[in-house]
């Protein structure tokens, strides 16, 4: 069975927490070594989905502190620093070392520490007579956040805006690409694999693929090679496939409403780092009191979440009720055997009065208590979701969007009715954008009617106008003869950055029978590694091939058993879940890791589209 990305990253973190001494799987720290852990915000987010506070203590971490905060001197304790390689962090480490606030400093950087910053660290600590306190300096290559066994985020915000900003300079684009490559390099080092890379021609995906290919080639010829066969992603000897995609490849997935539990919790309740805060209803008459929020962890320690996160919401609600009824029956059974009451309570005196079944009843209590916590958690979450669904009429938006994306057509009257009816402005805007992207052709009068409905609802049109312009450019591009395309591409790329890449063409070409994401279909074909028309335009990079033969087809013999799928410009839980379904329905099952520059809710991605629209000079009430 293939090791998960989460387990690989967790193993590396555990070694780091034990002063970079290898720890046997499941082992804990030397109980006599008590350590302080110092983090910056980014590295705190790396650890958050991996380890809870009680698990840090198992590895000798007695205090977990933020590098930016004022901290007390603890001169007898070693300190583990886990931070990004930045000049501000280096200066703070120098200050801490010069003050001698810890006994020794074990410095761990999320990625590699550039030579300039290493020299700054050395110069600063020598100048302050503190070099002796620096015990070790490590490059950890852990600059990414693992959200699930096979899901990661580089936690790099607003990449879609930066790559598609018409005012962006070449150096700005290069800096963004370099940051993405750094993150992907960390992922590959952690997994211990050198993949075969595939990407569509043109746009951000090709830029990232090219730079990553060069980075891997340069590293493979270096003396200290970080890649070994022992760290392979799976049990086979075949290398994995790395598929790079640009968010423009399938824009609709970024804004559409979804009916599946995990994407729904993320989109509506704003789940972050596997934690969701559910706001309760106000208890003060008139609703003026502050709602109290409850925080819940949603990860693989929650058996209900593991089983039901890919189910549609109505089935989840049924399952919650079923679990609650089963719990009540089990409580009654325990009470009956223990001589207690049948009203759901477990009275200690009643239990003590019946010694025959006392032991079994007591042994049942911890399991029943955990089940009740889990049921209460998902009851709270499901109730909050239902409240939002009813208030925003989300079922209507979701149903119509799915219908449009499946059929490529729409009942105009139904569309306008929903846009003019109840619902949040953001939901109406998302529906209108899905309409633009789902239709193979749209009559100008029909689009104008949609714009008017949005304008009447006082919806900011910036995001809608941006997508409309990009769709128009794409359609113009595909309709031109080859000789005429060059000038349009040059003009469009200067004005709209990389967003000229196919917005709707890829979707139309790859959808075939039934509702399937274009991303899923593309990954399926790429993993099969067959020469088919749908993927003939995809470039191939092989960092292990001889320079100049990187595009040779013989280096990509398939079918591939393992793949890393990465979305540049923001991903989401719908794509992740759909790819896992693809992996499981293969015979035998395949291993697919999904990642993105950041994981975005529909509204967060909508905000980025709006920013780009405003850069085009459109906004509230603006006509085309």
């Amino acid at each position: 069975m293939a090791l998960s990305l989460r387990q690989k990253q967790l193993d590396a973190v555990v070694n780091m927490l034990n002063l970079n001494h290898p720890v046997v799987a499941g082992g804990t720290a030397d109980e006599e070594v008590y350590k302080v852990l110092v983090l910056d915000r980014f590295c705190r987010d790396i650890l958050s989905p991996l380890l809870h506070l009680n698990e840090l203590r198992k590895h000798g971490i007695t205090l977990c502190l933020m590098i930016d905060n004022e901290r007390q001197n603890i001169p007898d304790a070693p300190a583990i620093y886990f931070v990004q390689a930045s000049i501000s962090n280096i200066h703070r480490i120098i200050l801490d070392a010069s003050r001698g606030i810890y006994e020794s400093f074990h410095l761990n950087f999320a990625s590699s520490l550039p030579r300039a910053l290493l020299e700054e660290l050395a110069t600063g600590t020598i100048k302050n007579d503190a070099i002796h306190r620096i015990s070790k300096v490590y490059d950890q290559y852990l600059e990414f956040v693992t959200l699930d066994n096979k899901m990661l985020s580089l936690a790099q915000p607003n990449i879609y805006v930066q790559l598609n900003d018409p005012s962006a300079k070449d150096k700005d684009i290069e800096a963004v690409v370099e940051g993405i490559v750094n993150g992907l390099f960390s992922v590959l080092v952690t997994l211990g694999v050198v993949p075969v890379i595939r990407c569509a021609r043109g746009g951000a995906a090709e830029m990232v693929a090219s730079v990553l290919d060069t980075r891997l080639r340069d590293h493979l010829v270096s003396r200290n090679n970080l890649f070994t066969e022992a760290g392979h992603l799976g049990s086979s000897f075949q290398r994995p496939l790395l598929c790079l995609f640009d968010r423009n490849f399938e824009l609709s997935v970024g804004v559409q409403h979804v009916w599946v539990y995990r994407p729904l919790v993320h989109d509506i309740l704003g789940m972050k780092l596997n934690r969701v805060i559910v706001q309760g209803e106000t208890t003060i008459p008139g609703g003026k009191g502050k709602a109290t929020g409850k925080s819940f962890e949603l990860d693989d320690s929650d058996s209900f979440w593991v089983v039901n996160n890919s189910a549609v919401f109505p089935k989840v609600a049924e399952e919650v009720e079923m679990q609650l009824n089963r719990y009540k029956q089990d409580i009654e059974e325990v009470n009956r055997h223990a001589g207690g009451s049948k009203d759901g309570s477990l009275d200690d005196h009643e239990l003590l009065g019946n010694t025959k079944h006392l032991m079994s009843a007591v042994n049942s209590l911890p399991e029943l208590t955990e089940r009740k916590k889990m049921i209460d958690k998902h009851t709270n979450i499901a109730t909050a979701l239902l409240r939002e669904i009813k208030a925003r009429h989300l079922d209507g938006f979701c149903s119509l969007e799915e219908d449009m994306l499946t059929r490529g057509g729409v009942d105009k009257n139904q569309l306008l009715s929903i846009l003019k009816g109840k619902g949040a402005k953001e939901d109406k805007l998302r529906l209108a954008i899905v309409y633009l992207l789902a239709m193979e052709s749209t009559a100008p009068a029909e689009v104008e009617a949609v714009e008017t409905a949005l304008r009447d609802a006082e919806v900011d049109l910036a995001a809608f106008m941006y997508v409309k312009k990009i769709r128009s450019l794409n359609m113009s591009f595909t309709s031109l003869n080859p000789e005429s395309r060059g000038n349009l591409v040059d003009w469009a790329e200067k004005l709209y950055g990389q967003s000229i890449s196919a917005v709707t063409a890829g979707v139309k070409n790859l959808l075939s029978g039934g509702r399937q994401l274009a991303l899923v279909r593309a990954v399926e074909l790429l993993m099969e590694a067959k020469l088919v028309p749908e993927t003939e335009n995809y470039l191939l990079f092989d960092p292990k091939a001889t320079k100049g033969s990187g595009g040779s087809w013989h280096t990509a013999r398939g079918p591939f058993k393992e793949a890393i799928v990465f979305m540049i410009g923001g991903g989401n839980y719908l794509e992740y879940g759909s790819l896992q379904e693809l992996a499981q329905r293969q015979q035998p099952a395949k291993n697919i890791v999904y990642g993105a520059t950041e994981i975005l809710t529909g509204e967060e991605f909508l905000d980025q589209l709006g920013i780009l629209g405003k850069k085009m000079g459109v906004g509230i009430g603006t006509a085309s």
Side-chain angles (χ1 to χ4, degrees), residues 10-187:
L10 180 58
D11 290 344
V13 167
V14 166
N15 284 343
M16 177 186 73
L17 296 178
N18 288 279
L19 306 181
N20 289 285
H21 296 148
V23 177
V24 178
T28 57
D30 183 342
E31 294 181 0
E32 296 182 1
V33 179
Y34 299 101
K35 298 155 286 192
V36 177
L37 179 62
V38 182
L39 304 167
D40 62 11
R41 283 175 173 76
F42 187 91
C43 292
R44 178 194 61 189
D45 289 351
I46 292 175
L47 294 189
S48 180
L50 293 174
L51 291 165
H52 297 151
L53 191 59
N54 64 321
E55 292 170 313
L56 287 173
R57 288 175 182 147
K58 290 179 183 178
H59 297 287
I61 303 300
T62 54
L63 282 174
C64 186
L65 306 169
M66 299 301 293
I67 193 170
D68 290 336
N69 296 344
E70 286 300 319
R71 288 166 275 120
Q72 293 180 336
N73 284 23
I74 312 176
D76 297 330
I80 298 171
Y81 281 70
F82 182 38
V83 295
Q84 284 188 294
S86 69
I87 189 65
S88 59
N89 283 339
I90 292 295
H91 286 164
R92 191 61 196 246
I93 291 168
I94 293 171
L95 177 62
D96 291 349
S98 63
R99 290 169 52 199
I101 64 174
Y102 306 120
E103 178 186 58
S104 57
F105 290 67
H106 299 258
L107 306 182
N108 299 270
F109 293 95
S111 60
S112 59
L113 183 65
R115 184 173 184 83
L117 291 183
L118 180 60
E119 290 176 352
E120 180 76 14
L121 174 66
T123 302
T125 49
I126 291 172
K127 181 179 178 181
N128 290 279
D129 192 26
I131 189 71
H132 61 284
R133 294 195 177 96
I134 307 299
S135 177
K136 289 287 179 69
V137 179
Y138 295 93
D139 295 337
Q140 291 292 351
Y141 294 100
L142 294 171
E143 202 166 34
F144 59 95
V145 178
T146 304
L147 299 169
D148 201 7
N149 289 333
K150 297 172 184 177
M151 183 180 190
L152 69 102
S153 167
L154 297 187
Q156 296 178 2
N158 297 314
I159 295 297
Y160 185 80
V161 170
Q162 294 175 58
L163 288 175
N164 293 281
D165 185 349
S167 63
K169 305 290 191 295
D170 286 349
K171 64 176 183 178
D172 298 327
I173 299 294
E174 289 168 4
V176 171
V177 170
E178 187 69 20
I180 296 170
V181 169
N182 287 341
L184 283 172
F185 188 79
S186 285
V187 172

Side-chain angles (χ1 to χ4, degrees), residues 314-615:
K315 288 190 177 297
V316 173
E318 289 176 8
E319 185 64 25
V320 170
E321 188 173 357
M322 190 183 303
Q323 292 275 6
L324 181 58
N325 291 334
R326 193 175 300 156
Y327 167 80
K328 288 178 178 178
Q329 291 171 5
D330 291 346
I331 284 288
E332 289 178 359
E333 185 72 11
V334 169
N335 282 338
R336 187 171 64 81
H337 283 300
S341 65
K342 295 184 179 181
D343 61 357
S345 63
L346 288 173
D347 188 284
D348 288 344
H349 295 292
E350 292 177 1
L351 287 175
L352 291 171
N354 189 334
T355 56
K356 184 178 180 180
H357 298 287
L358 178 60
M359 189 59 69
S360 63
V362 170
N363 289 339
S364 300
L365 283 175
E367 189 265 340
L368 287 169
T369 301
E370 286 304 309
R371 278 174 59 190
K372 185 61 165 62
K373 285 181 181 178
M374 182 185 69
I375 293 167
D376 286 346
K377 176 202 296 188
H378 289 282
T379 299
N380 272 281
I381 293 172
T383 302
L385 287 174
L386 189 59
R387 190 162 57 238
E388 286 294 308
I389 288 168
K390 286 182 176 179
R392 293 163 56 181
H393 300 269
L394 294 177
D395 50 337
F397 288 99
C398 185
S399 177
L400 183 56
E401 287 171 4
E402 187 66 25
D403 190 45
M404 287 191 295
L405 289 164
T406 303
R407 294 193 301 113
V410 65
D411 182 329
K412 179 184 173 183
N413 292 329
Q414 184 185 7
L415 173 63
L416 293 176
S417 175
I418 291 181
L419 291 176
K420 294 175 180 178
K422 296 179 180 179
K425 295 178 182 179
E426 293 79 8
D427 296 320
K428 293 180 179 181
L429 183 55
R430 290 167 65 177
L431 173 64
I433 290 174
V434 171
Y435 156 75
L436 276 182
L437 297 170
M439 301 300 104
E440 291 192 15
S441 62
T442 52
E446 194 172 292
V447 176
E448 180 59 35
V450 169
E451 288 180 32
T452 299
L454 292 175
R455 201 174 291 112
D456 290 345
E458 298 182 343
V459 175
D460 188 332
L461 294 179
F464 182 85
M465 300 305 290
Y466 174 76
V467 175
K468 179 183 174 184
K469 178 63 71 175
I470 297 308
R471 184 177 184 274
S472 174
L473 285 172
N474 184 69
M475 294 176 71
S476 299
F477 175 69
T478 55
S479 65
L480 289 176
N481 59 54
E483 292 77 15
S484 303
R485 289 181 181 180
N487 291 336
L488 176 63
V489 173
D490 291 342
W491 171 75
E493 288 189 344
K494 288 176 183 177
L495 192 58
Y496 302 112
Q498 297 300 320
S499 54
I500 189 62
S501 51
V503 174
T504 56
V507 177
K508 185 173 64 176
N509 292 340
L510 288 163
L511 287 177
S512 57
R515 171 72 178 133
Q516 184 183 41
L517 299 187
L519 175 71
V520 174
R521 177 61 176 158
V523 170
E524 183 176 19
L525 292 172
L526 291 170
M527 290 188 76
E528 289 175 0
K530 294 179 181 177
L531 288 168
V532 292
E534 294 94 330
T535 58
E536 64 183 2
N537 199 39
Y538 281 72
L539 298 173
L540 185 148
F541 296 84
D542 184 359
K544 284 190 172 183
T546 306
K547 194 71 174 176
S549 65
S552 299
W553 184 255
H554 70 274
T555 61
R557 291 173 183 167
F560 288 88
K561 298 177 181 178
E562 298 166 326
I564 304 163
V565 179
F566 189 81
M567 182 61 72
I568 300 163
N572 50 70
Y573 284 96
L574 174 58
E575 288 179 332
Y576 173 57
S578 300
L579 286 169
Q580 295 313 307
E581 289 175 8
L582 168 67
Q584 291 305 310
R585 69 172 177 258
Q586 301 295 308
Q587 294 296 332
K590 295 188 176 181
N591 187 31
I592 300 177
V593 173
Y594 173 78
T597 46
E598 60 180 325
I599 303 300
L600 296 169
T601 66
E603 288 190 20
E604 287 169 343
F605 186 57
L606 197 66
D607 289 342
Q608 294 198 37
L609 293 173
I611 291 171
L612 290 169
K614 288 180 172 65
K615 288 177 179 290

Side-chain angles (χ1 to χ4, degrees), residues 255-289:
V255 295
Q256 72 180 91
H257 293 88
V258 190
W259 209 229
V260 178
Y261 194 33
R262 177 158 50 188
L264 201 58
V265 171
H266 178 240
D267 192 33
I268 294 180
L269 302 181
M271 179 173 64
K272 298 286 185 186
L273 300 172
N274 297 339
R275 183 179 292 108
V276 64
I277 297 176
V278 175
Q279 299 295 339
E281 294 184 281
T282 56
T283 55
I284 299 175
K288 295 181 179 179

